[in-house]
Amino acid sequence: MDCSICTSMPVILRPPRNTICGACYEGARSIINLINKLESEKARNGPPNSCKTLLDVSRWVCDMKDRENVQKEEVSFLKGGFFTALKDQMHTDMELKPGNNGPSIPAHRALLATRSQIFKNMLDSDVCKAPPKDNIITLSELNHEELESLLQFLYTGSLPEEKMEKHVYSLSLAADKYEIPYLQKFCERHMLRSLKSSNALNVLDISDVCSYLSLKETALKFIVKNIEDIAFSDRYDEFALKNPHLCVQITRASLMEARKN
């Protein structure tokens, strides 16, 4: 049966509007049910808005798009203001110093305390109650570029792709050390998305150190699947010396996979 929705016929030759195929009918029902389910889960006060027709669905989508645009404007407003305060050093009251004797970076105590419980504890200690000019915290595990990237993320909640690609491992370690959950998730998602033969061993190493269990399992499976390319690489020799326990896990996982086949 020709369908008035999915047919490839010109408009003038299409069947009447009440002619619809089973696939389009089921698809429309699924969309309406899904949106009603989402509305029911979201509703807290009173009954949810119910979609009964595709026209209701269209209005719902437009409403969601408007809300999304408003949220984007709000996020842009907040991120822009915080990053400007960092970049222009507006009313800063402390400094963070990298571990490679690079120049310190002015920052704001209140913002750092809200982003990390570890930073809050450090800033609440007697050591950090000195006047602002003497109020310096050294993050010895980060160089100047890595510290800049960490601060940019703390102030804006995101980082450009090129900075993530360059500093994701050091940022993962910092997120784990200073208990910054959102940065942990951000780094984990990036490593999962960019997993490949050339970085799989690094991802496995970092996921083991930072206890990213799901990422570690994924990286281990990827390495086993591509064991010939990875095990005979120069990087593997260095990795084996540093992480013998992970090499044992790779060997065991490879043997288990071989048994299945």
Side-chain angles (χ1 to χ4, degrees):
M1 179 182 68
D2 289 329
C3 175
S4 61
I5 295 178
C6 65
T7 182
S8 58
M9 291 183 180
V11 175
I12 193 171
L13 298 178
R14 287 183 183 180
R17 286 188 298 173
N18 61 345
T19 306
I20 182 171
C21 67
C24 287
Y25 173 75
E26 291 299 328
R29 277 209 331 173
S30 297
I31 292 173
I32 292 173
N33 290 338
L34 173 61
I35 291 177
N36 285 334
K37 180 181 177 182
L38 294 174
E39 284 292 308
S40 297
E41 292 174 351
K42 185 177 65 174
R44 297 180 183 273
N45 300 316
N49 295 324
S50 178
C51 287
K52 297 180 180 179
T53 68
L54 286 179
L55 181 59
D56 294 330
V57 171
S58 175
R59 290 169 180 163
W60 185 89
V61 171
C62 291
D63 182 52
M64 290 299 102
K65 185 63 178 177
D66 290 340
R67 294 185 191 182
E68 180 186 2
N69 291 335
V70 171
Q71 289 179 344
K72 284 182 178 180
E73 291 176 0
E74 291 173 350
V75 170
S76 177
F77 172 74
L78 292 173
K79 289 173 61 174
F82 285 138
F83 188 59
T84 298
L86 173 67
K87 184 176 62 175
D88 296 343
Q89 301 179 14
M90 295 169 56
H91 307 296
T92 55
D93 52 8
M94 66 165 297
E95 295 181 2
L96 291 176
K97 188 173 179 63
N100 61 344
N101 293 321
S104 58
I105 303 176
H108 302 82
R109 295 167 60 98
L111 187 137
L112 295 182
T114 62
R115 296 292 191 252
S116 160
Q117 184 62 42
I118 301 299
F119 281 146
K120 184 178 185 302
N121 294 341
M122 295 168 67
L123 293 167
D124 286 343
S125 67
D126 293 335
V127 176
C128 291
K129 291 180 180 177
K133 66 177 182 179
D134 301 320
N135 196 350
I136 299 176
I137 294 179
T138 300
L139 306 186
S140 57
E141 67 282 353
L142 300 175
N143 62 35
H144 186 75
E145 277 191 18
E146 293 165 346
L147 180 55
E148 281 186 328
S149 296
L150 174 63
L151 283 173
Q152 183 175 347
F153 183 87
L154 294 178
Y155 275 73
T156 66
S158 63
L159 272 178
E161 186 69 18
E162 61 272 14
K163 288 191 176 182
M164 281 300 300
E165 189 68 30
K166 186 175 183 180
H167 303 306
V168 64
Y169 304 125
S170 58
L171 291 175
S172 294
L173 294 173
D176 181 64
K177 179 176 181 179
Y178 298 108
E179 297 182 8
I180 310 171
Y182 183 55
L183 179 55
Q184 290 177 308
K185 292 179 181 178
F186 198 85
C187 291
E188 187 174 4
R189 285 196 297 263
H190 176 85
M191 288 187 283
L192 185 62
R193 189 172 62 247
S194 60
L195 184 62
K196 52 191 175 184
S197 296
S198 60
N199 67 10
L201 293 174
N202 290 333
V203 171
L204 181 63
D205 184 12
I206 292 296
S207 62
D208 181 63
V209 172
C210 298
S211 299
Y212 296 155
L213 300 182
S214 178
L215 178 62
K216 180 180 178 180
E217 182 180 353
T218 301
L220 189 58
K221 289 180 178 178
F222 181 90
I223 292 170
V224 169
K225 184 179 179 181
N226 300 274
I227 191 64
E228 291 189 13
D229 293 336
I230 295 173
F232 291 99
S233 65
D234 295 336
R235 172 76 180 94
Y236 192 81
D237 295 338
E238 178 186 347
F239 175 85
L241 291 174
K242 180 183 175 185
N243 303 286
H245 67 293
L246 292 178
C247 287
V248 170
Q249 294 179 32
I250 292 173
T251 302
R252 289 175 177 171
S254 298
L255 291 173
M256 292 178 65
E257 185 65 25
R259 286 180 182 176
K260 295 178 182 178
N261 301 329

